[in-house]
């Protein structure tokens, strides 16, 4: 179980809404059953309406709450992926973020590009990443290759 602290709460890294959705679910179930009982005590065709409310109302409330929770689980999973891909693990800042020092790509003459068989490589002018000849975009920084 993930440890949550107050800092995560005030910086919106820890979500409160999934817990509220569970409360909304149970309140919705109570409302559905109360409405069903009210309809069934009215008599006549409303008995069928009350049964319909019990069955489809519970189903509707459950599906609605599950969809809302799925959105939050997607967010949590994406955040875990982001944290695992960040250099230095969770909470690490990318190079150049939060510092005055600018990170420059290596100069082209500093890179030794050796073709492997028929494959030719060149360096990205923005970040210095080696890419295959003929590619339109750098697979590291996404910049357009001329």
């Amino acid at each position: 179980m993930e440890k949550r602290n107050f800092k995560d709460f005030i910086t919106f890294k820890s979500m409160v809404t999934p817990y509220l959705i569970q409360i909304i679910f149970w309140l919705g179930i109570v409302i559905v059953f109360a409405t069903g009982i009210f309809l069934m005590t009215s008599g006549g065709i409303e008995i069928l309406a009350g049964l319909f409310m019990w069955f489809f109302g519970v189903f509707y409330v459950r599906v609605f709450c599950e969809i809302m929770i799925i959105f939050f689980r997607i967010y949590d999973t994406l955040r875990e992926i982001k944290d695992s891909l960040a250099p230095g693990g969770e909470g690490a800042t990318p190079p150049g973020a939060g510092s005055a020092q600018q990170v420059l790509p290596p100069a082209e003459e500093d890179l030794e590009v050796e073709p492997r068989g028929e494959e030719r490589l060149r360096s990205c002018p923005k970040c210095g990443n080696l890419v295959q000849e003929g590619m339109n975009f750098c697979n590291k920084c996404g910049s357009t290759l001329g």
Side-chain angles (χ1 to χ4, degrees), residues 67-89:
I67 289 171
M68 296 304 294
I69 288 177
I70 285 172
F71 287 132
F72 287 97
R73 288 198 179 150
I74 290 171
Y75 168 79
D76 288 339
T77 303
L78 288 174
R79 193 168 152 241
E80 288 174 10
I81 292 170
K82 178 185 166 245
D83 290 343
S84 70
L85 293 177

Side-chain angles (χ1 to χ4, degrees), residues 24-101:
I24 290 169
F25 168 74
W26 288 110
L27 288 174
I29 295 298
V30 168
I31 291 170
V32 163
F33 275 104
T35 305
I37 289 172
F38 174 76
L39 288 172
M40 288 194 294
T41 58
S42 298
I45 194 76
E46 282 81 14
I47 293 173
L48 291 176
L51 292 173
F52 182 83
M53 173 67 80
W54 278 1
F55 181 73
F56 289 105
V58 169
F59 181 73
Y60 173 78
V61 170
R62 175 69 186 209
V63 169
F64 174 77
C65 290
E66 283 182 6
I67 289 171
M68 296 304 294
I69 288 177
I70 285 172
F71 287 132
F72 287 97
R73 288 198 179 150
I74 290 171
Y75 168 79
D76 288 339
T77 303
L78 288 174
R79 193 168 152 241
E80 288 174 10
I81 292 170
K82 178 185 166 245
D83 290 343
S84 70
L85 293 177
E90 188 170 323
T93 57
S99 70
Q101 181 182 12

